[in-house]
Amino acid sequence: MPHRLLTAISAIYARLKKSDKAERVVDLGLEVYKENVELLFLKGVYQEQAGQWHDCVQTMAFLLKKDPYYSDALNYIGYLYVEQGVEVESAEKLLLEAIDIQPNNGYYLDSLGWLYYKSGKWQLAEQYLMMALSLKPQEAIIIEHMGDLYQQKGDLQKARHFYMEAQKRTVDPENKERLVKKINATHKKH
């Protein structure tokens, strides 16, 4: 079975929130296509979705030994570190490497902006998040990150605007619920 078909099948399982089955499909592919970086990347993603954080990092590290310029893996690990609040210096290095490879990737710029946000570097955060938003103006998570930044800076009107825009663009009920809470929190403070 071609690895692209396996990738598509695993993506269906992932959308159904069955990351364990998605990972099994990828593992079947890796039995045939032993070190295929695309399959390795998906394996790492599904491991992280299943809560296997350390396994994900190991898989991504193995992938990067095979292809040190696989920018999606650099970004994925960097963003994962940011979200976990660990390895901040490594995260910044990984994200900058990903951006060096793809300087106009809005997701990578968002990841770096988010790192600076989490580090309290508001000016750098705003700079990178604005660049990300200019490249991906419809991406809900980038818009939400802008809202978080403005809320942190005390501009509740701008924060609410970005949260409402993000809510319009997301379909996931969990994300919508989180955004409603953020909208309400900015409204109550006014």
Side-chain angles (χ1 to χ4, degrees):
M1 187 178 299
H3 82 277
R4 297 246 184 252
L5 181 57
L6 293 166
T7 300
I9 293 168
S10 73
I12 292 168
Y13 280 125
R15 277 192 214 107
L16 295 171
K17 305 237 188 249
K18 297 182 178 186
S19 55
D20 57 330
K21 289 186 179 185
E23 186 181 350
R24 273 189 249 137
V25 170
V26 168
D27 283 338
L28 287 172
L30 287 168
E31 287 177 15
V32 177
Y33 307 100
K34 302 242 182 268
E35 296 179 358
N36 179 286
V37 290
E38 186 178 348
L39 291 173
L40 285 168
F41 178 74
L42 289 175
K43 180 178 177 68
V45 169
Y46 300 145
Q47 287 171 322
E48 188 264 331
Q49 289 173 354
Q52 302 163 356
W53 190 83
H54 294 290
D55 292 339
C56 167
V57 172
Q58 287 180 332
T59 299
M60 294 291 183
F62 179 73
L63 181 163
L64 288 169
K65 284 181 182 170
K66 300 293 165 201
D67 183 354
Y69 300 104
Y70 200 92
S71 55
D72 283 345
L74 293 165
N75 179 67
Y76 201 89
I77 296 174
Y79 190 80
L80 189 60
Y81 284 163
V82 171
E83 285 296 295
Q84 296 292 325
V86 299
E87 305 284 341
V88 175
E89 288 178 16
S90 293
E92 184 177 26
K93 182 179 179 274
L94 292 165
L95 295 172
L96 287 169
E97 285 179 36
I99 291 168
D100 280 346
I101 295 166
Q102 287 191 45
N104 293 318
N105 187 308
Y107 297 111
Y108 300 175
L109 294 165
D110 172 66
S111 295
L112 188 60
W114 193 238
L115 176 139
Y116 291 136
Y117 168 84
K118 292 277 199 164
S119 301
K121 298 176 181 176
W122 314 124
Q123 191 172 4
L124 281 171
E126 187 170 20
Q127 176 187 338
Y128 281 95
L129 291 174
M130 290 297 282
M131 285 191 292
L133 189 60
S134 73
L135 292 166
K136 295 285 184 187
Q138 300 299 316
E139 184 57 46
I141 193 67
I142 297 171
I143 298 168
E144 181 179 357
H145 285 167
M146 288 297 299
D148 291 342
L149 175 67
Y150 283 114
Q151 183 173 23
Q152 187 64 42
K153 290 173 75 173
D155 190 336
L156 300 181
Q157 187 175 0
K158 273 189 181 176
R160 185 171 42 257
H161 165 76
F162 280 108
Y163 291 148
M164 290 171 77
E165 289 300 312
Q167 184 193 28
K168 289 178 194 174
R169 287 165 178 76
T170 191
V171 294
D172 186 298
E174 220 174 86
N175 292 341
K176 281 193 178 285
E177 186 178 320
R178 182 183 67 249
L179 287 162
V180 166
K181 289 178 183 175
K182 288 181 177 187
I183 291 166
N184 291 338
T186 58
H187 187 67
K188 291 176 187 173
K189 294 180 182 179
H190 241 332

